[in-house]
Amino acid sequence: MATYTLKSIGKNVDYMSIVREMDDGYVVRIVRDKDGYEDVTTDYLSKALFDSCLRTGYITKVVESSAVTA
């Protein structure tokens, strides 16, 4: 399940995770920080809109870092 940050106003950090991929879009879970509590919504996003959001920078994929220990 991929996670993306959403462009937001101020210092808020909002996230979106892909819950399920469908033929024509995605079911996504959006978590928004609203003054100390989380507003969680589940919604549908078409592939065309998803691609447009990536292109314009409205959403950015979160790169997971992996720790390597010797």
Side-chain angles (χ1 to χ4, degrees):
M1 179 167 49
T3 302
Y4 298 83
T5 57
L6 301 172
K7 185 180 282 189
S8 57
I9 299 172
K11 296 180 182 180
N12 291 349
V13 179
D14 302 331
Y15 295 95
M16 178 183 79
S17 299
I18 296 177
V19 176
R20 183 171 50 138
E21 183 175 354
M22 301 166 62
D23 290 338
D24 57 346
Y26 303 95
V27 175
V28 295
R29 180 177 181 255
I30 301 169
V31 180
R32 294 186 180 275
D33 180 16
K34 301 265 186 160
D35 294 325
Y37 74 92
E38 290 184 344
D39 178 30
V40 180
T41 57
T42 302
D43 208 345
Y44 171 82
L45 196 63
S46 71
K47 285 190 177 183
L49 180 57
F50 182 84
D51 291 341
S52 177
C53 289
L54 273 176
R55 243 186 352 269
T56 60
Y58 183 74
I59 61 175
T60 307
K61 188 168 185 173
V62 175
V63 179
E64 296 181 22
S65 62
S66 59
V68 177
T69 57

